[in-house]
Amino acid sequence: MPTAVSLFTGCGGSDVGLAQAGFSILMANDVLPYARDVYQANHEDTDYRLGSVADIKSFPSADLLVGCYPCQGFSQGGVREPSRGINKLYLEFARALRDIKPKAFIVENVSGMIRSNFRHLLRNQLAAFRRAGYRVKCEVLSAADYGVAQERKRIFIVGIRSDIDAPYDFPQATHGLACKYPHRTIRDAIGDMPVWPEGEFYARDFHWYYLSRDRRRDWDQPSKTIVANSRHMPLHPMSPALKKIEHNVWKFVSDAPARRFSYREAARLQGFSDLVFPDTRPGSLDMRYTVVGNAVPPPLFNAVASALPDIW
């Protein structure tokens, strides 16, 4: 079984996908304690190192290195400042790459990285990985095209070590028009779950910013992007539709009950099976949303990892 080291792991979306693709994860890492708690409640055998990757001085030898370094500096929903220090965490990934020298690596990040004001940072990353000794490709993929019931685009950077004569081709879409399977829908993902799971969703009012755009999709559509901020979580389809009143102003068409997705529904819409969420942190409702929204959809990561050539 090929082995992997996982950095900036969060609660483990990448690692679920890797395990499904046949990899054994030797080590995982993140700075968020509750992400570690959720990971270990679901994958107790992995060596999970809590803390900054900068404090990790050596890494286990592995065939594959993967990393999903934080994206707030690039994200459509984040601060979007190219100069932020968080945008330089790829240098720690490159350090691990030089130390481990795996046969291949996979990086995932938000698609906003290809925006014109961030493109130089993407070029810097590609250059750093090439200097580390890898042939590199990158592409933006849509999670919905790989069996995730959600509109979510992400950029993937994949590298094969330069001394290995094997190309990498990104996987072809499996779901959608002209594909073997239709896009998965909200109903497919959560249709069997309770309609009103008391205590498992953010139940406060819908403020003006929330109602500045359409946050709802119907049962037989993929969900809008699952986010890490509980206040901005998309609407459950049991909620009434939203009607546009004017620019950046939407209102519900009726006074029927409305709510955001619960954190458990959000996990399903990300492509997880039913995650175990331990009660280990105060304020854990927001933390549960955070770790789920920050995760990589496992089916998408599985597709990217499964497309790696047989070099193990």
Side-chain angles (χ1 to χ4, degrees):
M1 181 179 289
T3 56
V5 167
S6 172
L7 304 180
F8 312 99
T9 309
C11 71
S14 59
D15 294 13
V16 172
L18 285 177
Q20 292 169 346
F23 287 84
S24 173
I25 297 87
L26 303 179
M27 190 204 88
N29 154 259
D30 205 272
V31 297
L32 191 62
Y34 191 65
R36 186 272 314 271
D37 296 348
V38 173
Y39 188 107
Q40 292 190 323
N42 292 275
H43 314 281
E44 60 183 16
D45 294 333
T46 300
D47 174 20
Y48 198 110
R49 303 190 191 179
L50 181 66
S52 171
V53 67
D55 295 331
I56 300 176
K57 302 309 179 185
S58 63
F59 303 88
S61 177
D63 299 306
L64 178 69
L65 175 65
V66 305
C68 311
Y69 29 83
C71 59
Q72 289 91 334
F74 306 102
S75 175
Q76 185 69 22
V79 178
R80 289 181 287 179
E81 292 180 1
S83 62
R84 291 188 73 200
I86 202 168
N87 294 341
K88 302 296 179 62
L89 286 173
Y90 72 87
L91 295 173
E92 289 296 335
F93 185 87
R95 177 178 68 87
L97 198 60
R98 293 190 300 270
D99 183 72
I100 300 171
K101 298 180 176 61
K103 295 179 179 179
F105 74 84
I106 302 172
V107 163
E108 180 266 1
N109 216 305
V110 294
S111 60
M113 199 184 289
I114 65 171
R115 293 167 62 94
S116 59
N117 53 330
F118 297 144
R119 207 167 292 150
H120 66 289
L121 294 170
L122 175 58
R123 289 194 296 267
N124 290 348
Q125 292 173 64
L126 299 179
F129 301 151
R130 287 172 179 138
R131 287 195 300 270
Y134 291 81
R135 298 189 311 277
V136 182
K137 284 186 174 181
C138 64
E139 191 164 319
V140 174
L141 303 178
S142 172
D145 292 342
Y146 299 91
V148 181
Q150 178 192 169
E151 300 168 353
R152 189 185 192 94
K153 291 185 177 180
R154 290 295 185 266
I155 191 169
F156 282 84
I157 305 172
V158 178
I160 304 293
R161 207 170 63 204
S162 298
D163 64 330
I164 298 173
D165 185 17
Y168 179 80
D169 294 312
F170 282 94
Q172 295 295 308
T174 55
H175 293 67
L177 293 175
C179 293
K180 183 176 180 180
Y181 306 104
H183 282 140
R184 295 193 78 231
T185 68
I186 296 172
R187 190 186 308 277
D188 293 331
I190 66 167
D192 62 327
M193 300 182 79
V195 173
W196 199 263
E198 196 68 50
E200 294 189 355
F201 61 89
Y202 186 85
R204 297 185 184 177
D205 291 342
F206 303 101
H207 50 71
W208 68 267
Y209 182 78
Y210 189 90
L211 295 176
S212 67
R213 65 191 73 177
D214 188 0
R215 306 276 184 168
R216 183 185 178 278
R217 288 291 181 267
D218 289 327
W219 277 107
D220 294 319
Q221 295 178 294
S223 169
K224 294 184 74 67
T225 300
I226 297 301
V227 297
N229 188 321
S230 57
R231 293 178 299 164
H232 298 159
M233 183 62 55
L235 287 165
H236 189 284
M238 58 82 66
S239 309
L242 286 168
K243 178 181 178 180
K244 188 173 184 178
I245 305 302
E246 57 183 271
H247 179 63
N248 285 344
V249 179
W250 294 72
K251 290 188 177 180
F252 290 107
V253 298
S254 78
D255 293 329
R259 69 169 177 87
R260 300 163 178 85
F261 286 121
S262 73
Y263 63 85
R264 293 188 191 279
E265 291 163 340
R268 287 267 200 102
L269 291 164
Q270 283 275 57
F272 288 96
S273 56
D274 291 324
L275 281 175
V276 175
F277 291 91
D279 291 319
T280 54
R281 304 286 159 181
S284 61
L285 180 66
D286 283 342
M287 284 273 45
R288 292 175 187 204
Y289 274 115
T290 296
V291 299
V292 168
N294 281 336
V296 187
L300 178 57
F301 210 91
N302 176 21
V304 173
S306 295
L308 288 164
D310 187 8
I311 55 177
W312 321 116

